[in-house]
Amino acid sequence: MTTAGRPDPARRFHDDLVGLDPDDPEARAFAEHLDRMERVRPMFTVEGELNGVRDFAESANRAGGLQRWAAWLLVVLVLVGAGYVIYGVLEFVLTTYVD
């Protein structure tokens, strides 16, 4: 078992990895890729959305160079947009309450 409670991808895809060393880092990376591609999870629940955010964060951490900077830029833009919306809502509520 891995730390997240899921079975080891190298063991799960044993038939797909026939002839490869299960301890080889490239074979393990391929098995983890297969695991991510075939994972089924609910997408319209809070848990599913949080898993999607976790997958995005893990892939951003694996990326390097321009892809990593693009992921950081995307996160910053989402946070700025959320801050702008929250500011607008608070401004509307406070001006409505005061007037």
Side-chain angles (χ1 to χ4, degrees), residues 20-51:
L20 298 176
D21 180 16
D23 296 325
D24 180 32
E26 290 182 7
R28 293 190 68 75
F30 180 64
E32 290 170 3
H33 170 73
L34 289 176
D35 185 49
R36 285 190 303 274
M37 296 302 294
E38 294 185 5
R39 193 177 311 150
V40 178
R41 61 184 168 260
M43 291 304 296
F44 299 108
T45 63
V46 173
E47 179 185 2
E49 293 299 324
L50 290 177
N51 283 337

Side-chain angles (χ1 to χ4, degrees), residues 45-64:
T45 63
V46 173
E47 179 185 2
E49 293 299 324
L50 290 177
N51 283 337
V53 171
R54 185 188 69 218
D55 290 343
F56 176 77
E58 287 175 355
S59 66
N61 285 334
R62 282 191 308 271

